[in-house]
Amino acid sequence: MKIPKNSYQRPASLTDAAMHYCAGCGHSTVHKLLAEVLDELEIRERTIGVAPVGCAVFAYFYLKCDISEAAHGRTPAVATGIKRALPDRIVFSYQGDGDLAAIGMTETIHTANRGEPITVIFINNTVYGMTGGQMAPTTLVGQQTATSPAGRHPATMGCPIRMCELLNTLDQPYYIERVALDSHAGVVATKKALLTAFQSQVAGKGYSFVEVLSPCPIYFRCSPQKALQFVGREMAAQFPVRIFRKEGVPVHA
Amino acid sequence: MKKPDDAFFSRVLMMGNEAAAEAAIRAGCQCYFGYPITPQNELTAYMAKHMPERGRVFIQAESELAAISMVFGASVAGVRSMTSSSSPGISLKQEGISYLAGAQLPAVIINVQRGGPGLGSIDPSQGDYFQATKGGGHGDYHIIVLAPASVQEMHDMTLQAFRLADHYRIPVMILADGRVGQMMEPIRLHEDPPSPAPPKPWALTGAKGRPPQCIRSLFVEEGALEKHNHELQACYRQITAAETKAEETETGDCEWLIAAWGTCARISKGVVRKARAQGIKAGLVRPITLWPFPYERLARLAHQVKALLVVEMNCGQMLEDVRLAVNGVAPVHFSGYPGGRVPTETDVLNALTALALAANRKHSKTI
Ligand SMILES: Cc1ncc(C[n+]2csc(CCOP(=O)(O)OP(=O)(O)O)c2C)c(N)n1
Ligand code: SF4
C-alpha cells in the first residue's frame, strides 16, 4: 500500500515492538515524539540515551538508538560519563519524578550546575508508576497514593517540588521548559520543546531540561480522559507550563 | 668506579597515591571521577592537575555515588576510566560496582583503606577485605581485587588493573591502605607503551552502521537472568584459573607459616628473616590477588607446616579464607590490629615466637 504524504506514520527511530505502557500513559507519547525528533534532526545514529529505573526502563525496546541503563537516580551521572567520553555524540537521560527528583536529586542539580551539554527529559506524573503508585516528590497536596492513602499532607510529607523553578536558580543551564501532555496542543508543544532541547545540544550549547506533565491513569485511579484533565487542571495549577530559560537567559513569567 | 645504571636514574621519589594516579594516566585512562576523602586525596589532586593537561576528563563529582556512575557512563562509551576513594566512600560506590559487574563493564576502583566501621579513623586499615572480596554490593558477583604492598606495586598494579578490567570486562579494585597510599618510595615508572585497550564492539558509541545496542543489568525475560549469572560465573572461573597470584617467602622448608596481605605482608617479610635468625623455620605466603584467592596453594602448604599465623590490620577477615583453604589440616592462629595501628616487626615476631614456644612446650610434655 502506498502511504500518502503527510499521513500519520511510525517514526523510523521507533521499533515495531508493542509498548508495555498502560493505555493512556504519557511515556508512549513522549517516546514517539522523541523518535520523531531523532528522525527530524537526523541524529539517531549518534545518539546515546540513558534509561531510568522506572516504568521507562525498557526504553531500549522501543527506541532505535543506543541506550544504557543506570542505577536508580544516577541517570544524569551516567549520561555525564558518556558525554564527557564522547563529546560529539548526542546524549540524553529520560527520567521519572522518583528517579529525577527524589533519589537522583543530587545528580540532577549538579549535572545542571555543571552545565553538562546533555538533554534531560523529565516525565512528571506525580507518582511512582513502576513500584505501584507511591507518593513522589511531585505528588500534589491532598493527592492519594499508596504511601499517602489519606492524601499528601504538607506538615509531614512536604509539598510538591517544582523542578524547573529549582534548576532555574542555577547559572549554567541553557534551556528549561515545562510542557503538559493534556491536549493536542500540549502534545505539539511537547514535540517543539524536545526539538529545541536537542537542537541546542546539536549546536553545542549547554544543558537542556524538558519537564513533561504526564498522565498515569492507573495510579491517578481514573480513566485516560480524566487523567488528561488532571494533568491540564490540577497539575498545571501547581506546575506552571512555560519556558523558564532560553539560550541561557532566565525568562520571566 | 662502576657507573650507576640507567635504571637508577629513571627512578623517581613518589607517594603511593600519586604513583597509582600516574599509572592510570600511562594506562590511557581517559576519564577520572573522584570525591575528596583522606587518605587518598593526593590521588584526586594529581588527576585534577594532570588529566586536563592532557586533554582528558577530570570531574570532582557531587558524591561517590555520582562518581562511580560517571565511571559507568564512560565505560559504557568504551573508554578507560577510574575512580578512587577510601572506605566510607567505597561503601557508597558499592551500588555502582554492582551495576558495573551486572552490566559486565570494565572499570578501575582504588580503595586506600582507612579505619572503620562508620567514620572510623583516617589511619591505615585492612577492614574492607570482606566488602571487597565477597561482593560488597548486592547480587551474585565478584570483582578482581589486587593488594599492593609498596609504592612500586601501587604503580604496577594500577597499570595491570586496566588490562585485566578490559580483558575480562570486569571491575578491578586496588585494595591499598593508608600506609601504602601515603608513604614515599623511589620507584621506576613504566615507560613501555601500555597494553592498548582491546576493541569494544559492545560499547555504546551511536548506532551508526550497526543495529542499536543496549547496556543493561536488568533481565526480566524468562530464564535470562539465570543464563546471565551462569555466564558471569563462567568468567569468574576463567579468572580464577588464569589470574590467581600469591608470593611466597621461604616456604620451601617452613614449619611456621605467616599469611598476610598488603602492608602486613611487607612487615611479615622482615619477621620471617628475624625468626629464622632465632632458629624458627618461618615462611610467608602473601596473596596478591585477594579475589581470586589462592586457596589451592594454601591448602598444599598447610600439609607441611606446624601452624599458620594470619596477620591483618582488622579483626580477622582474610583469616576466614585461610581457614577455608586449610580446612582443619593445621591450626590457624591470628594476630590482628584493628585500631588503625600498623604493627611493627616486633609485634608479629612476638606472636610467632609465642606460638612456636607453646608448641615446643606441649611437644616436650608429651615426651
Ligand atoms: C535503589 C533503588 N531503590 C528503589 C527501587 C525501586 N523503584 C523502582 S522504580 C522506582 C520509582 C519509579 O518512579 P518514577 O521515577 O516516578 O518513574 P515512573 O515509574 O513513574 O515512570 C522505585 C522506587 C530501585 N529499583 N532501586
Ligand atoms: S503505571 Fe503509570 S507511568 Fe507506568 S506505564 Fe502505567 S500509566 Fe505509565
Side-chain angles (χ1 to χ4, degrees), chain A residues 82-198:
Chain A
I82 297 173
K83 184 73 181 183
R84 291 286 185 119
L86 302 170
D88 61 343
R89 297 319 132 90
I90 303 302
V91 178
F92 71 87
S93 78
Y94 183 108
Q95 306 174 253
D97 35 53
D99 197 84
L100 182 137
I103 196 167
M105 180 63 113
T106 313
E107 286 78 4
T108 296
I109 290 181
H110 287 276
T111 306
N113 193 44
R114 286 190 305 268
E116 297 292 341
I118 63 165
T119 299
V120 175
I121 302 166
F122 170 34
I123 308 298
N124 177 357
N125 59 13
T126 71
V127 287
Y128 286 15
M130 193 188 215
T131 40
Q134 293 87 353
M135 186 177 72
T138 50
T139 297
L140 303 185
V141 169
Q143 190 179 339
Q144 290 180 336
T145 70
T147 49
S148 59
R152 182 174 191 165
H153 197 301
T156 52
M157 305 169 187
C159 292
I161 299 178
R162 295 184 196 86
M163 285 308 302
C164 287
E165 287 82 343
L166 202 147
L167 295 179
N168 203 26
T169 63
L170 305 173
D171 292 337
Q172 287 290 350
Y174 183 77
Y175 172 70
I176 302 174
E177 179 167 4
R178 183 184 290 124
V179 289
L181 281 183
D182 60 335
S183 60
H184 173 69
V187 174
V188 173
T190 302
K191 163 81 176 286
K192 194 163 153 269
L194 291 173
L195 199 60
T196 311
F198 278 92

Side-chain angles (χ1 to χ4, degrees), chain A residues 13-15 17 19-21 27 30-31 34-35 38 49-69 92-95 130, chain B residues 212-214 218:
Chain A
S13 294
L14 212 56
T15 67
M19 291 189 190
H20 73 285
Y21 300 114
H27 280 304
V30 178
H31 280 20
L34 176 55
L38 298 184
V50 187
V53 176
C55 282
V57 64
F58 296 123
Y60 43 76
F61 289 144
Y62 312 129
L63 291 166
K64 275 194 208 160
C65 60
D66 280 3
I67 293 188
S68 176
E69 283 175 2
F92 71 87
S93 78
Y94 183 108
Q95 306 174 253
M130 193 188 215
Chain B
Q213 299 183 155
C214 70
L218 177 67

Side-chain angles (χ1 to χ4, degrees), chain B residues 164-184:
Chain B
L164 289 170
D166 275 345
H167 186 72
Y168 293 104
R169 288 183 60 182
I170 192 172
V172 180
M173 181 179 282
I174 307 288
L175 192 58
D177 64 59
R179 166 62 69 90
V180 183
Q182 301 254 310
M183 71 185 174
M184 292 184 93

Side-chain angles (χ1 to χ4, degrees), chain B residues 258 267-276 282 345 348-349 352:
Chain B
I258 300 176
I267 293 159
S268 299
K269 255 189 204 174
V271 174
V272 168
R273 219 181 311 117
K274 287 189 173 152
R276 287 208 170 240
E345 284 185 2
V348 181
L349 185 65
L352 188 74

Side-chain angles (χ1 to χ4, degrees), chain B residues 207-252:
Chain B
K208 195 177 167 81
R210 59 154 171 81
Q213 299 183 155
C214 70
I215 299 270
R216 57 175 182 158
S217 60
L218 177 67
F219 297 90
V220 291
E221 307 91 313
E222 204 181 333
L225 182 62
E226 212 176 319
K227 183 167 166 276
H228 175 64
N229 269 317
H230 282 310
E231 271 169 30
L232 289 182
Q233 294 299 322
C235 174
Y236 299 154
R237 281 192 294 276
Q238 246 185 18
I239 295 171
T240 303
E243 309 294 347
T244 308
K245 282 189 181 60
E247 182 192 345
E248 291 178 34
T249 307
E250 306 269 13
T251 50

Side-chain angles (χ1 to χ4, degrees), chain B residues 77-155:
Chain B
V79 310
R80 284 185 163 171
S81 73
M82 182 174 101
T83 184
S84 63
S85 186
S86 177
S87 310
I90 297 290
S91 289
L92 288 188
K93 287 187 201 294
Q94 294 305 327
E95 175 190 70
I97 295 172
S98 168
Y99 277 77
L100 285 161
Q104 292 172 283
L105 290 171
V108 175
I109 302 129
I110 298 186
N111 180 1
V112 185
Q113 296 166 94
R114 58 188 256 180
L119 219 39
S121 77
I122 57 168
D123 297 321
S125 161
Q126 295 182 319
D128 302 346
Y129 179 95
F130 283 153
Q131 186 197 50
T133 61
K134 309 297 174 196
H138 61 285
D140 227 344
Y141 74 92
H142 280 293
I143 60 173
I144 296 177
V145 184
L146 307 174
S150 66
V151 176
Q152 183 70 59
E153 285 184 349
M154 282 292 270
H155 188 68

Side-chain angles (χ1 to χ4, degrees), chain A residues 228-246:
Chain A
L228 293 183
Q229 281 174 14
F230 181 80
V231 171
R233 293 183 194 159
E234 271 98 319
M235 284 182 71
Q238 171 69 27
F239 305 109
V241 172
R242 68 180 188 88
I243 295 181
F244 292 84
R245 181 78 59 105
K246 209 170 149 182

